Amino acid sequence: MSHLRPALKNLDPVSPDRRPDYRRDRLRAAFVTSLVAMATGVSPVDISSRTRNRAEAARARQIAMYLSHISFEWPLTRVGAAFGRDRTTAGYACHRVEDLRDDADFDAHLSVMEACLKYVPQVHVA
């Protein structure tokens, strides 16, 4: 089995030469959703809802999409797919959150969440 280890390293789902693993992306999106839920007080169920919901839930969902785009360096199509939305919705969310970063308090709050996501474990094939 040890002769397979170099080949297995090439199977990392975040490598740019592979197609995304959508199941794993959805798990990461759920992780980000949980982080945003803790930081905003909006339930993960409301954030993940397929309906428009309350303004607070929509904003929390936009934050989660933005954080996935920035932290995982996912293209908007991948962000949208991970959150069950399309590319244009993900793009709109990222623009909205980027505009909100002009507020110093919001920016500081978002920076803390970004810092948390820097330490999300990557898939490691041993």
Side-chain angles (χ1 to χ4, degrees):
M1 252 340 224
S2 64
H3 66 284
L4 294 178
R5 284 198 181 141
L8 290 177
K9 286 185 181 183
N10 294 329
L11 294 179
D12 180 46
V14 294
S15 68
D17 56 306
R18 277 200 71 219
R19 290 187 348 194
D21 179 342
Y22 292 107
R23 185 186 62 82
R24 189 159 282 134
D25 285 358
R26 284 190 299 275
L27 289 173
R28 285 180 147 206
F31 181 82
V32 175
T33 297
S34 295
L35 172 68
V36 172
M38 288 189 304
T40 62
V42 177
S43 80
V45 171
D46 286 345
I47 294 172
S48 300
S49 173
R50 294 292 299 152
T51 62
R52 290 206 171 169
N53 232 330
R54 299 183 340 258
E56 296 84 13
R59 175 63 42 85
R61 185 170 36 255
Q62 290 170 344
I63 291 169
M65 294 173 92
Y66 173 83
L67 287 170
S68 297
H69 176 61
I70 296 301
S71 299
F72 303 141
E73 299 178 356
W74 287 351
L76 295 175
T77 302
R78 190 171 177 182
V79 173
F83 284 89
R85 304 300 200 277
D86 64 23
R87 172 189 55 79
T88 59
T89 302
Y92 177 78
C94 291
H95 286 288
R96 292 284 296 156
V97 174
E98 192 63 44
D99 289 345
L100 292 170
R101 291 200 88 159
D102 291 338
D103 177 283
D105 290 337
F106 181 84
D107 186 57
H109 196 67
L110 202 61
S111 293
V112 169
M113 288 187 273
E114 282 183 73
C116 290
L117 290 173
K118 284 185 181 182
Y119 299 102
V120 173
Q122 299 294 317
V123 173
H124 178 71
V125 179

